[in-house]
Amino acid sequence: MPPRPASTSPRQRRTHRHRTPANSPSSSKLTNTSTAAVTFTIRANNYRGDGPWTYQVAAGATVTDYFNATAYASGWYDFTVTANSDTAWTQRFTGHLETNTPSVSG
């Protein structure tokens, strides 16, 4: 049987946002299980004016980055992750890290 061609389909990319207690960093874990390098881009949809953040992830590798979710908009976050290998693939992460301080949604 001939070898399978390299694939960078959405099944081969994984993203994970890990939420931690208030005043702790939140992390984004970008995993590339394909046989080709992938460039992930994280863009803030709301609550932040900085970014985007770009990550080159080698084949078979994982990259993790951290940010302080409570430093912007009282713990609210809204990010979209894309990959250069498939323009139709996206993942969106939205939510709030509870800080026990008053905040307004929306």
Side-chain angles (χ1 to χ4, degrees):
M1 178 186 301
R4 292 178 58 188
S7 174
T8 55
S9 70
R11 292 185 307 277
Q12 304 229 289
R13 292 181 300 273
R14 291 185 295 234
T15 58
H16 175 65
R17 178 155 311 274
H18 177 69
R19 289 180 239 165
T20 56
N23 301 321
S24 296
S26 178
S27 66
S28 296
K29 182 176 179 181
L30 307 167
T31 301
N32 176 10
T33 59
S34 75
T35 58
V38 173
T39 300
F40 290 96
T41 301
I42 300 177
R43 287 185 173 80
N45 300 308
N46 291 299
Y47 309 117
R48 294 183 66 141
D50 54 343
W53 302 271
T54 303
Y55 306 87
Q56 304 284 337
V57 184
T62 297
V63 171
T64 302
D65 196 8
Y66 301 90
F67 72 97
N68 185 342
T70 59
Y72 299 90
S74 301
W76 293 97
Y77 61 90
D78 182 355
F79 296 100
T80 296
V81 182
T82 58
N84 70 327
S85 57
D86 183 351
T87 58
W89 182 87
T90 66
Q91 288 194 6
R92 189 169 183 179
F93 298 90
T94 63
H96 180 258
L97 294 176
E98 185 54 55
T99 61
N100 293 322
T101 59
S103 65
V104 178
S105 62

